[in-house]
Amino acid sequence: MKTDLSNYVYLKDYQKTEYVISEVDLVFKLDPEKTIVQNKMRIERRHQTDAGTTLVLDGDELTFISAQVNGQSLNEGQFEASANSFRLLTPPADEFELTITTQVNPSANTQLSGLYLSSGNYCTQCEAEGFRRITYFYDRPDSLAIYKTRIEALKAKYPVLLANGNPLTSGDMDAGYHFAEWLDPHPKPSYLFALVAGDLGRVSAPYTTASGRNVALNIYVEHGNEPRSTYAMDCLIRSMKWDEERFGREYDLDVFNIVAVSDFNMGAMENKGLNIFNDKYILADPKVATDADYEGIETVVAHEYFHNWTGNRITCRDWFQLCLKEGLTVFRDQEFSSDERSRSVQRIQNVRSLKSRQFPEDSGPLAHPVRPDTYKEINNFYTATVYQKGSELCGMLQTLLGIDGFRKGMDLYFERHDGDAATIEDFLACFAESSQINLDQFALWYHQSGTPLLKVTRLYNRDRQELSLTISQELAPTPGQEKKEPMLIPIRFGLLAKTGDEQAFSAIRGAKVKDDVIWLENATQTIVFEGVSEGCVPSLLRGFSAPVNIESDLNSFEKLLLMQHDCDGFSKWQALQDVAGDILVKLSVGQEAPELDAFTEALAAIIGDDSLEYAFRALCLQMPSHDDLVPHLSGKYDPEAVYQAKLKLRKQITKRLLPLFETIYSEVKPASPFNPDATSAGARSLRNTIVSYLGISSDQRHHELVVKHFENADNMSDQISALITLVHDQITGYEVALQQFYEMHKNTPLALDKWFAAQASSPTSSGVEMLECLAQDPAFSWGTPNRVRALLDPFTIGNPRLFNKADGSSYKYLAQKVLEIDTKNPQLAARVLNAFRSWQHLEPTRRQLARQALASILDAKQAISIDIRDITERCLQ
Ligand code: BES
Ligand code: ZN
């Protein structure tokens, strides 16, 4: 465990390596406790003038065995080897071969970084700095080499031996061992190295690329899970096809292998030719996977596949450029999902996720730029900001340049930087050049942290029939950044006449406008629409064209007009959320909300509108989250009051919409037999959202309906939605249902995770006591990331009422658990700790308790990891 109080790493300190490692030849003799790794590297000095410079390679918890240069063993005095570095003191002047042998202990590796065992199978995770836990190397993304890998292992226990690239040879050895050799012809950084050895089942499919290359696709899973992997295979094939059509990108090896493992810190990893997945994002069948799980599988499979070009063929120069591969690849997977499903529904879901994860990060102590310029622990920078905001920035580029303009920039990027370790500047230069547009101001988005606030005020001139909008942009100070510059903000817009029809205008002045997009460039700008009628209402930020907050002078009736009539699906939904948010803020501080009746009327009209997609209507029934309301309550956020306000609003909605709910519930029929497609999923989603409202009805009949919904479910989406409603509203029979669910799924950990989550997210439970009880269950384990997340995320994220219990008991519990998890898996501990990121917005009593819990982590008697120290210190700063 890295515990040192090591210093910050700075972007400005970037320097190329002194030496270049061009080829790596690895031999693994696999053993659970004593794996021997022989690493033969072809090395050359970068500059002839640097003769004699010491070669310094990274290591982490390595046991050094031996080293040779050009086949000659090294003597003491020629090198220095420690657990975390190898130094060759006087390397040869000419190209040479350095062979280092190390020993590692996979079975003791609970961090799940480097080489470890998962359910008895060997696997690796090298991003970001895991390769140095396997062997000494330039473990940084700008060190690209060609890798050959030989794996030796017991054949009976580990019949499957996989590594990056294409298979070379394989065969039997003495004493029951066998071997396999793999060669990856594409130079790559060490973080993309992977190896798997185990006894696994396989699903295969052939694929022919657009230019006629044949590729063997394989997904490896635990024996017996093969039938649950066919959906993932289907997603992979659709992703490969989509990348050819949309971006002209083909696959470039003879095989593409995916392995699903049950112990994994993240969702999945894009290792070249050998993706390794958390099995949660591969395994799917109707009994175990919800529609959201199917969607997640599609997203993650596509995402990791898309990295083959955005990440692998073109990688990052250093970890500060992480968004170059992650933001862009998230953008690509979101575009894929939009093309495969409903674009507006997809957009709403992405924005919901952005606002509930990235916006809070950007408005709290952990705020950082999409392209940071300093970090202490890189693992803590795989954040919502780098990923989600990073994706939004690509989306804004596409909005500004148009789909074709964006594609032209991407084409140039692939052409110019294939085989490179690139930077954000390289990336942006391709778009600036191909479009002939100066993107210097746009580039600020990568460097300035925080969410801009747009303030909009209107003025109508009756004589001239002109509507003026004055828009100002503000960006509040964030850690390390006091003053900010105005940025280029694309605002997609429309105007609605009083009648709700789209309002035409004769001209616009005051800003650059391309099609229906305003290019906002100044701190304050007045934009004038000519030839418009009085009372028309601007619809700004259609499609959420920029990741900003907006404060407009629209009154609630104008917002209701947008909610009822906006032709942009996203804006219609956003207007609904805005009105609901206004109501919730008022209710939570004990005020009346006069717009409540008009709101429920307008909501009823939407929910009953058969021209709207089911999934869209389901999203419209979901009221704003606590996170959505926090910015409006900063410093006095009382989670209990918000919980009560939401309950009150939901009860009002139930009262008004009950007849509609009953009709829709009985008339909407999802496809039978089960089909995971978007339309059926939408139908289930609408019915299940209705079920959640029926749970708070005071009518016994509705409770019985929820119980029936549970009992008759033939798929996990229905079953778990009913269970959640039963448990959260403590409907008679909920204990029995919990037991039935447990019995039914007790041999399927991924299904039981939902059982844990349903209870942990219950606002009506006892809180910490209940968590402690759940953690005692034999199916639970603090050592398995999926279990830990299934218990803690639904509590810290999904249960704001009890996580923020006024006595501070949950904060204390979480801090304690973080310390315990930290001893085994610091990365996981740091992620759990992120739950405190918005503590400063809390009302004073809770704020004080949260601060104490955070402080207790730094005061702990045990040695703590750099991972949790970094997060805690930044939180408290
Ligand atoms: N490269 C990452 C996985 C990763 C991140 C490994 C950090 C180790 C450390 C991968 O491409 C990724 O981003 N996965 C996401 C899912 C994706 C759909 C956003 C994940 O694992 O959450
Ligand atoms: Zn990724």
Side-chain angles (χ1 to χ4, degrees):
M1 180 166 91
K2 277 188 269 176
T3 53
D4 53 336
L5 305 168
S6 60
N7 282 323
Y8 288 95
V9 184
Y10 293 98
L11 170 62
K12 64 174 166 43
D13 294 341
Y14 173 81
Q15 279 191 325
K16 288 189 171 165
T17 56
E18 311 255 9
Y19 291 81
V20 176
I21 308 179
S22 55
E23 282 173 39
V24 185
D25 189 339
L26 296 163
V27 180
F28 286 83
K29 297 176 197 301
L30 293 176
D31 178 272
E33 268 120 45
K34 292 177 179 170
T35 287
I36 302 294
V37 185
Q38 184 195 289
N39 171 10
K40 193 195 288 178
M41 293 162 274
R42 180 150 291 284
I43 306 181
E44 201 175 5
R45 273 185 288 139
R46 187 181 296 279
H47 302 293
Q48 289 307 316
T49 46
D50 292 343
T53 315
T54 301
L55 166 71
V56 185
L57 300 179
D58 306 305
D60 183 9
E61 289 191 324
L62 291 175
T63 302
F64 173 80
I65 305 271
S66 67
Q68 297 157 329
V69 167
N70 292 330
Q72 293 280 333
S73 288
L74 294 179
N75 301 323
E76 241 179 86
Q78 293 181 299
F79 73 98
E80 289 165 11
S82 70
N84 48 29
S85 86
F86 178 91
R87 303 163 72 86
L88 183 61
L89 300 177
T90 44
D94 298 321
E95 191 178 50
F96 61 100
E97 212 176 75
L98 170 64
T99 308
I100 312 180
T101 304
T102 49
Q103 182 182 309
V104 294
N105 183 349
S107 64
N109 187 351
T110 58
Q111 292 184 33
L112 313 185
S113 163
L115 176 67
Y116 64 95
L117 284 163
S118 174
S119 305
N121 300 317
Y122 292 93
C123 65
T124 56
Q125 171 54 42
C126 292
E127 189 175 5
E129 297 178 336
F131 192 69
R132 64 184 65 184
R133 297 170 51 76
I134 296 173
T135 185
Y136 297 103
F137 203 69
Y138 276 143
D139 194 14
R140 42 189 277 171
D142 63 344
S143 175
L144 309 186
I146 292 176
Y147 286 65
K148 190 178 146 214
T149 308
R150 178 185 166 96
I151 309 168
E152 300 177 6
L154 275 174
K155 189 173 182 176
K157 274 188 103 167
Y158 311 103
V160 176
L161 304 177
L162 306 171
N164 308 97
N166 295 319
L168 275 184
T169 55
S170 59
D172 290 337
M173 298 165 58
D174 291 343
Y177 279 75
H178 72 151
F179 76 94
E181 293 187 0
W182 293 77
L183 176 69
D184 181 1
H186 300 282
K188 66 162 175 288
S190 51
Y191 80 84
L192 291 174
F193 170 80
L195 164 162
V196 169
D199 189 1
L200 298 160
R202 184 176 83 174
V203 171
S204 303
Y207 184 83
T208 307
T209 68
S211 72
R213 177 196 266 278
N214 290 318
V215 186
L217 311 178
N218 301 300
I219 299 183
Y220 291 88
V221 291
E222 229 172 74
H223 287 291
N225 276 336
E226 294 88 343
R228 298 174 63 194
S229 317
T230 51
Y231 180 76
M233 181 62 90
D234 171 60
C235 294
L236 175 60
I237 293 169
R238 285 187 284 122
S239 310
M240 294 176 84
K241 195 121 216 87
W242 184 88
D243 213 13
E244 290 175 353
E245 286 166 3
R246 176 74 185 269
F247 284 107
R249 296 297 113 196
E250 274 189 37
Y251 189 59
D252 53 6
L253 288 166
D254 304 334
V255 295
F256 187 79
N257 288 323
I258 289 180
V259 179
V261 301
S262 49
D263 301 273
F264 201 75
N265 275 341
M266 301 286 292
M269 178 63 208
E270 70 265 24
N271 318 298
K272 183 80 187 187
L274 176 54
N275 288 0
I276 297 182
F277 272 62
N278 185 328
D279 58 4
K280 174 176 160 57
Y281 292 109
I282 291 292
L283 303 179
D285 67 63
K287 291 255 176 310
V288 175
T290 60
D291 291 310
D293 291 330
Y294 277 96
E295 218 174 310
I297 290 168
E298 184 176 79
T299 297
V300 182
V301 168
H303 177 97
E304 306 310 336
Y305 174 73
F306 295 155
H307 268 314
N308 192 54
W309 275 95
T310 49
N312 301 3
R313 289 288 288 252
I314 307 178
T315 193
C316 302
R317 189 192 71 171
D318 51 69
W319 290 122
F320 297 104
Q321 320 296 330
L322 184 58
C323 66
L324 179 72
K325 75 176 180 83
E326 293 303 348
L328 178 56
T329 305
V330 169
F331 172 71
R332 275 151 53 70
D333 81 52
Q334 290 177 344
E335 283 294 292
F336 169 70
S337 297
S338 301
D339 285 346
E340 298 283 300
R341 295 165 180 256
S342 152
R343 187 161 278 270
S344 62
V345 167
Q346 222 44 46
R347 188 62 188 142
I348 293 168
Q349 288 179 347
N350 292 338
V351 174
R352 254 169 61 118
S353 170
L354 180 82
K355 290 191 174 182
S356 69
R357 297 168 59 193
Q358 200 276 326
F359 277 29
E361 185 168 274
D362 232 356
S363 71
L366 299 180
H368 56 275
V370 172
R371 214 268 308 267
D373 47 26
T374 178
Y375 63 75
K376 222 171 187 179
E377 170 51 62
I378 185 57
N379 285 320
N380 288 340
F381 279 81
Y382 286 76
T383 59
T385 296
V386 169
Y387 274 68
Q388 297 184 303
K389 190 172 177 184
S391 164
E392 291 299 317
L393 305 197
C394 296
M396 280 195 284
L397 264 182
Q398 181 166 274
T399 300
L400 292 165
L401 306 183
I403 301 234
D404 295 339
F406 185 78
R407 170 70 195 263
K408 257 171 80 185
M410 287 296 288
D411 286 347
L412 181 59
Y413 176 61
F414 290 128
E415 182 189 313
R416 182 178 290 173
H417 292 291
D418 186 12
D420 287 352
T423 62
I424 282 300
E425 285 76 8
D426 294 333
F427 176 70
L428 287 176
C430 293
F431 291 90
E433 239 178 270
S434 63
S435 68
Q436 289 297 305
I437 291 172
N438 183 316
L439 293 174
D440 292 351
Q441 192 191 10
F442 179 78
L444 288 172
W445 277 105
Y446 284 91
H447 309 306
Q448 300 193 134
S449 52
T451 306
L453 173 64
L454 301 187
K455 289 189 175 159
V456 187
T457 50
R458 286 171 297 166
L459 201 68
Y460 184 75
N461 184 321
R462 196 174 291 162
D463 297 337
R464 302 176 60 124
Q465 297 225 312
E466 286 181 356
L467 175 70
S468 311
L469 294 185
T470 298
I471 310 181
S472 69
Q473 51 169 309
E474 291 170 16
L475 193 48
T478 44
Q481 296 186 342
E482 276 309 309
K483 277 201 81 70
K484 321 273 175 109
E485 300 297 323
M487 302 197 281
L488 171 59
I489 302 179
I491 304 177
R492 198 180 288 282
F493 72 96
L495 292 175
L496 262 68
K498 265 195 291 206
T499 54
D501 295 321
E502 201 78 357
Q503 160 81 56
F505 48 86
S506 50
I508 305 183
R509 52 177 210 269
K512 177 170 169 182
V513 177
K514 260 180 44 184
D515 299 323
D516 56 349
V517 181
I518 295 168
W519 295 39
L520 190 76
E521 292 166 300
N522 305 332
T524 303
Q525 220 163 323
T526 298
I527 297 147
V528 184
F529 297 84
E530 301 173 5
V532 297
S533 57
E534 188 165 17
C536 69
V537 177
S539 165
L540 299 179
L541 224 63
R542 283 184 166 171
F544 203 60
S545 58
V548 300
N549 282 311
I550 208 164
E551 203 180 278
S552 73
D553 58 358
L554 298 187
N555 62 42
S556 46
F557 293 97
E558 291 168 320
K559 288 179 190 169
L560 282 163
L561 184 85
L562 294 177
M563 168 176 165
Q564 287 165 307
H565 299 293
D566 205 316
C567 61
D568 181 81
F570 169 80
S571 291
K572 187 179 177 71
W573 171 84
Q574 184 64 62
L576 184 159
Q577 295 293 309
D578 289 345
V579 180
D582 292 345
I583 295 172
L584 286 172
V585 168
K586 287 177 193 158
L587 295 182
S588 77
V589 296
Q591 290 173 10
E592 294 289 311
E595 64 272 57
L596 187 53
D597 286 342
F599 171 73
T600 49
E601 273 322 303
L603 182 63
I606 288 176
I607 302 310
D609 183 345
D610 285 327
S611 72
L612 297 170
E613 290 174 279
Y614 292 141
F616 178 82
R617 287 189 262 167
L619 285 167
C620 287
L621 277 176
Q622 258 136 56
M623 292 303 109
S625 68
H626 283 237
D627 280 327
D628 291 325
L629 305 172
V630 167
H632 304 281
L633 297 162
S634 187
K636 45 184 201 298
Y637 167 45
D638 175 352
E640 178 64 30
V642 172
Y643 170 79
Q644 296 299 346
K646 280 193 75 171
L647 193 60
K648 190 163 177 187
L649 175 60
R650 285 169 54 81
K651 282 191 170 149
Q652 288 291 324
I653 292 172
T654 313
K655 208 161 105 196
R656 168 62 185 85
L657 274 70
L658 249 183
L660 202 51
F661 285 165
E662 288 174 337
T663 314
I664 293 174
Y665 184 82
S666 60
E667 285 177 4
V668 171
K669 294 264 184 289
S672 175
F674 179 87
N675 186 333
D677 73 344
T679 313
S680 314
R684 278 188 290 275
S685 170
L686 180 55
R687 290 179 95 228
N688 287 329
T689 310
I690 287 174
V691 165
S692 78
Y693 277 94
L694 295 180
I696 49 173
S697 154
S698 45
D699 187 336
Q700 189 60 28
R701 264 186 327 125
H702 294 129
H703 295 182
E704 283 158 16
L705 186 148
V706 181
V707 174
K708 276 224 180 65
H709 193 69
F710 176 77
E711 286 169 350
N712 298 339
D714 70 346
N715 64 82
M716 181 56 94
S717 291
D718 289 352
Q719 191 183 32
I720 195 66
S721 312
L723 184 69
I724 288 171
T725 300
L726 291 171
V727 171
H728 290 202
D729 298 321
Q730 304 205 320
I731 292 172
T732 316
Y734 82 90
E735 287 111 331
V736 181
L738 275 170
Q739 221 162 5
Q740 284 173 344
F741 187 98
Y742 192 92
E743 265 314 299
M744 183 167 175
H745 296 293
K746 64 179 171 211
N747 297 318
T748 315
L750 290 175
L752 278 193
D753 282 349
K754 300 178 197 306
W755 182 84
F756 288 116
Q759 297 172 79
S761 59
S762 173
T764 55
S765 84
S766 57
V768 167
E769 244 173 79
M770 169 244 353
L771 290 182
E772 273 171 344
C773 173
L774 288 173
Q776 295 301 314
D777 192 276
F780 187 80
S781 145
W782 287 108
T784 310
N786 283 351
R787 295 302 89 71
V788 173
R789 285 188 288 251
L791 188 71
L792 296 184
D793 288 356
F795 186 68
T796 60
I797 304 166
N799 196 347
R801 182 191 199 194
L802 295 187
F803 174 56
N804 297 293
K805 222 170 160 175
D807 62 3
S809 55
S810 307
Y811 303 148
K812 229 169 148 177
Y813 173 81
L814 198 74
Q816 185 52 42
K817 285 301 156 196
V818 163
L819 284 168
E820 284 169 33
I821 298 166
D822 192 47
T823 62
K824 288 191 191 143
N825 189 336
Q827 272 185 56
L828 181 62
R831 294 210 162 250
V832 169
L833 189 52
N834 264 288
F836 283 109
R837 64 174 184 208
S838 295
W839 70 277
Q840 287 155 325
H841 292 292
L842 289 161
E843 51 79 24
T845 312
R846 287 177 174 87
R847 201 185 318 153
Q848 177 61 16
L849 292 165
R851 189 209 312 270
Q852 279 169 13
L854 279 165
S856 76
I857 291 173
L858 296 180
D859 294 341
K861 291 199 184 66
Q862 73 197 63
I864 64 169
S865 69
I866 185 166
D867 306 57
I868 68 166
R869 178 179 298 277
D870 172 40
I871 299 277
T872 314
E873 285 179 347
R874 280 193 282 142
C875 273
L876 286 171
Q877 234 161 46

